[in-house]
Amino acid sequence: CFDPVTGSRAECSSETTEVPVDFFYPESLAGRSQYQSEIAEAADALAYFSSRLGPWRYGKAGFVSVPHPFNMEAASLVVLIDPRAAVHETVHHWWGNNVRIRSWGDFWISEGLTTYFTGFYNEARTGVNNACSITTRTLDVHAPQDPLDLFNNDAYCIGAAAIADYRDRLARWLERDPRDPEAVSAFLSVFRAVYESLEGTAANTASFSSALSRSSGLSVRTVSTVRPVQFGNAAVLAMAPAVQRA
């Protein structure tokens, strides 16, 4: 149970939100204690983002350890082959499930935002944002695209770099350090508005950029060639103030 306003764990009552967390595993599972520890961390992340991005929309949160090629989330059930992915797969319920992607060319929205917000949660907990970042190249992805070609670091780390770039630009516009409480609050407010705008829809790069522009009062340019669209770091979220700062 957690306080839906602060996201802090709390005694279960009519004032709190209760989400049962289940873990299914074979008796022979090695490293069970690490799984349990990482899933407890994921439960804290669930509470944290429920109060900052939007409510957890499912009646439970389940985790299962079974033979599988990779870690994978489905709505309210996460398959784990590596317990360290528990928080990442939980964050996908906001970016990937509740806001899904329109085509594989928009894969960066799901993986880039999830990667960055996983790091953002770690920053809130430890002071260190450990999201990966690639700024030396942009993504150049066609839609349709074979999804098996997309599961590399690019969508994750270039996408996360795009969000980090946006956060830095927003903080500069506010004349604050990105970690300043006012800048952090503004960043979260923007992405809560983006999430609320896109929740339940299939987003693409254009609709995401449009929602971000509406939510922040900052315009967003998507740099593109004739075909395909390029996105990633400043190429996705090169921003210019739409209004003068008071």
Side-chain angles (χ1 to χ4, degrees):
C1 293
F2 58 91
D3 185 314
V5 176
T6 66
S8 302
R9 293 284 191 100
E11 292 295 324
C12 294
S13 72
S14 60
E15 306 270 322
T16 60
T17 298
E18 181 175 1
V19 179
V21 178
D22 298 313
F23 178 35
F24 306 95
Y25 56 89
E27 287 297 326
S28 60
L29 178 66
R32 186 187 311 173
S33 62
Q34 184 183 5
Y35 276 87
Q36 291 169 330
S37 175
E38 296 289 350
I39 289 169
E41 194 69 50
D44 284 343
L46 182 160
Y48 179 86
F49 286 116
S50 290
S51 69
R52 289 162 176 83
L53 291 178
W56 181 260
R57 296 301 190 188
Y58 308 95
K60 65 176 179 64
F63 298 84
V64 59
S65 175
V66 292
H68 198 264
F70 42 75
N71 302 292
M72 183 69 190
E73 102 292 338
S76 80
L77 184 64
V78 170
V79 176
L80 290 177
I81 61 171
D82 183 342
R84 295 171 297 179
V87 172
H88 177 97
E89 301 302 337
T90 299
V91 176
H92 263 310
H93 287 77
W94 284 271
W95 309 113
N97 288 350
N98 292 350
V99 177
R100 61 193 186 277
I101 59 173
R102 192 171 301 178
S103 74
W104 286 111
D106 305 301
F107 189 52
W108 79 273
I109 296 173
S110 174
E111 293 300 348
L113 269 74
T114 293
T115 297
Y116 188 79
F117 277 92
T118 300
F120 186 88
Y121 170 72
N122 194 72
E123 178 185 331
R125 188 176 62 85
T126 69
V128 176
N129 190 322
N130 59 354
C132 62
S133 177
I134 295 175
T135 59
T136 56
R137 59 183 183 273
T138 61
L139 290 171
D140 193 7
V141 178
H142 299 265
Q145 177 84 196
D146 185 342
L148 295 180
D149 293 337
L150 300 177
F151 284 89
N152 54 44
N153 286 335
D154 283 5
Y156 297 75
C157 301
I158 298 175
I163 306 307
D165 177 70
Y166 178 93
R167 182 181 174 186
D168 287 345
R169 291 167 183 264
L170 179 63
R172 288 200 297 272
W173 183 70
L174 293 169
E175 299 178 2
R176 296 287 187 273
D177 182 273
R179 294 173 184 261
D180 179 89
E182 181 182 340
V184 171
S185 178
F187 174 76
L188 285 171
S189 294
V190 166
F191 275 88
R192 184 181 183 101
V194 169
Y195 174 76
E196 290 174 348
S197 173
L198 297 176
E199 184 182 12
T201 71
N204 63 10
T205 299
S207 65
F208 173 80
S209 297
S210 177
L212 189 59
S213 179
R214 291 194 307 271
S215 300
S216 64
L218 299 172
S219 61
V220 179
R221 299 192 308 274
T222 300
V223 176
S224 64
T225 55
V226 175
R227 188 177 288 112
V229 171
Q230 292 182 329
F231 54 83
N233 59 61
V236 169
L237 303 178
M239 296 178 0
V243 296
Q244 293 296 318
R245 183 172 185 272

